[in-house]
Amino acid sequence: MTEKQSRRASLPAGVERNALSTLVATWFHVGLIRPAPGTWGSMAAVPIGLVLALVGGTYLVLAGAVLVFVAGLWASHRMIGGMTDETESDDQPSIVVDEVAGQLLALTTAGVSPFLFVLGFAFFRLFDIIKPWPIGWIDRRIPGAWGVMLDDVLAGLFAAIAVWIVAFLIQNYV
């Protein structure tokens, strides 16, 4: 066995062979930051959401969420496919592209308000962590890349609705 083959064999499965998918799944290695890689992934999405909102408004933020979702399906599928069977869950902590997609979705109703952006971040993390039904059901029952991505997208949808309700209340009653 050559030195290069030996080095390749010692790397976690999927890292060298699928470098682009690993880069996307870990959101440019943000998912490797410890502790709380999901929170770091969500935080990485906030400035992206702000730029998209400033440039193109709600629809561009939504388009960004959809694009990240599609890329996340591909990347997480490739990364999960490269892992060994010793892992208990497909949703590995280092895969944070799902948090990025969900966080962007959560920010679609925040406009460009700093307060609503912080609230969108907080609501998304809350729903992603506590996983109320049906988010928790999806997290436990849907395998593979779809399960990795869908629970966070649903948490993002819940957060977007919560932000929209708060924005509505502020606009109409404060």
Side-chain angles (χ1 to χ4, degrees), residues 5-164:
Q5 289 171 327
S6 174
R7 193 169 28 109
R8 184 176 296 172
S10 67
L11 291 172
V15 171
E16 189 172 336
R17 286 188 310 264
N18 303 316
L20 179 60
S21 59
T22 300
L23 195 63
V24 171
T26 63
W27 199 252
F28 307 96
H29 301 298
V30 169
L32 303 178
I33 300 173
R34 300 290 185 261
T39 299
W40 289 107
S42 295
M43 286 189 341
V46 172
I48 296 166
L50 182 58
V51 168
L52 293 174
L54 288 169
V55 170
T58 298
Y59 293 116
L60 191 56
V61 179
L62 181 59
V66 170
L67 181 65
V68 172
F69 176 78
V70 171
L73 275 176
W74 168 78
S76 58
H77 173 76
R78 296 285 303 251
M79 194 163 168
I80 291 166
M83 294 178 161
T84 63
D85 290 335
E86 62 197 43
T87 58
E88 290 182 15
S89 170
D90 289 335
D91 198 354
Q92 299 301 305
S94 61
I95 300 174
V96 296
V97 67
D98 52 334
E99 272 82 12
V100 175
Q103 185 64 70
L104 287 174
L105 186 56
L107 298 176
T108 58
T109 56
V112 293
S113 164
F115 172 72
L116 293 178
F117 259 70
V118 170
L119 205 58
F121 174 80
F123 276 135
F124 174 71
R125 291 309 302 147
L126 176 70
F127 290 127
D128 189 33
I129 291 168
I130 65 170
K131 298 192 184 307
W133 188 89
I135 298 168
W137 183 88
I138 289 171
D139 185 51
R140 291 185 305 275
R141 301 285 177 128
I142 299 183
W146 283 100
V148 168
M149 297 300 296
L150 284 178
D151 70 310
D152 288 277
V153 167
L154 194 53
L157 180 61
F158 279 29
I161 292 168
V163 169
W164 181 84

